Amino acid sequence: GSPTTSSPVAVQEQPTPDTTPSAQPCWELDVGCCQTEPNGIADFSTVTVAPGDMDECQAACVEAPGCFGMQLISGNVTDNCQLHWSPDGVAATDSNSTCGACCVCRTVAPTVAPTAAPTATVLAAPCAEILPSGCCQDDGSSSMTEGANETHCMDLCLSDGNCLGVTWNSKTGQCKMHFITDAFNSTTTLGSCETDNTCFECRAVPEIAAVPSKTSSSTPFPDDFSS
């Protein structure tokens, strides 16, 4: 008899894992201020909403790409809505009643192997001051530490292969390390950045596709920088 033939079987391609934070209605983690586990504070910034308006504060987080959660500070008239830029920052609460409740607004899908980042080149001098004086622009991609002086602050950045520059506060001795190139496009003098702060770029990175900023230029600088 004639040989039998079979129809080709379609092979389904496996979808690529999505690493984009997915927005969803915010839910209450617990009563108290948002914090890391255990007992830490991750990067956040503040916006002003109507006093006691939890819905407006939650909407501000949902509408901001990269915001993972929020907390509403009761009693504050301004800067009363804290937006947290790291999933670690909404991992626990400290049972502080002034914060009302810590709410989670985004979760992160399983991660995939990252692509290699462009190699950063150490600048001469060793770091170049960005004028006019003020804080480097911050979108939450930064970390705070203490520096003995301005040079020590620069050295701390240069010893970290991912650090691109710093904001040095000569009054408090606080050294804020920045990890994105957008931090050096300009400086800000909002809030605690009005005096005693200098922005330095310590590494230059080749031009890559622009990444949307998590905060607008009108967002106040995080309060923890002045404390």
Side-chain angles (χ1 to χ4, degrees):
S2 301
T4 58
T5 59
S6 59
S7 300
V9 178
V11 178
Q12 293 185 341
E13 295 184 359
Q14 295 296 319
T16 302
D18 183 10
T19 58
T20 304
S22 56
Q24 52 198 300
C26 305
W27 71 93
E28 183 177 324
L29 179 65
D30 205 348
V31 175
C33 299
C34 301
Q35 65 176 26
T36 60
E37 186 70 58
N39 303 324
I41 298 176
D43 293 310
F44 69 90
S45 60
T46 58
V47 295
T48 298
V49 299
D53 195 333
M54 180 70 76
D55 290 340
E56 185 180 357
C57 187
Q58 290 185 355
C61 181
V62 172
E63 292 170 5
C67 177
F68 288 91
M70 45 63 62
Q71 63 192 29
L72 186 65
I73 310 298
S74 56
N76 283 21
V77 177
T78 60
D79 299 336
N80 53 0
C81 174
Q82 289 188 357
L83 307 181
H84 289 265
W85 304 111
S86 166
D88 295 336
V90 289
T93 63
D94 68 356
S95 300
N96 186 331
S97 60
T98 62
C99 292
C102 175
C103 295
V104 179
C105 300
R106 278 182 173 86
T107 57
V108 181
T111 57
V112 296
T115 56
T119 302
T121 303
V122 177
L123 301 178
C127 301
E129 181 178 352
I130 305 299
L131 297 174
S133 295
C135 298
C136 304
Q137 291 288 348
D138 179 52
D139 75 338
S141 299
S142 57
S143 66
M144 187 79 72
T145 186
E146 297 293 328
N149 51 46
E150 183 179 283
T151 301
H152 181 221
C153 181
M154 295 180 191
D155 288 343
L156 290 172
C157 180
L158 293 171
S159 66
D160 184 327
N162 295 316
C163 179
L164 302 179
V166 297
T167 294
W168 165 248
N169 187 310
S170 59
K171 182 177 180 179
T172 64
Q174 289 179 316
C175 176
K176 190 161 195 173
M177 297 193 290
H178 300 277
F179 303 96
I180 61 167
T181 56
D182 288 348
F184 314 105
N185 291 338
S186 61
T187 58
T188 177
T189 56
L190 292 176
S192 61
C193 294
E194 184 175 1
T195 59
D196 307 309
N197 291 282
T198 310
C199 175
F200 293 97
E201 184 177 15
C202 300
R203 285 184 173 89
V205 178
E207 289 293 329
I208 57 176
V211 178
S213 175
K214 295 174 186 172
T215 58
S216 67
S217 58
S218 62
T219 301
F221 202 79
D223 291 341
D224 62 342
F225 192 78
S226 61
S227 58

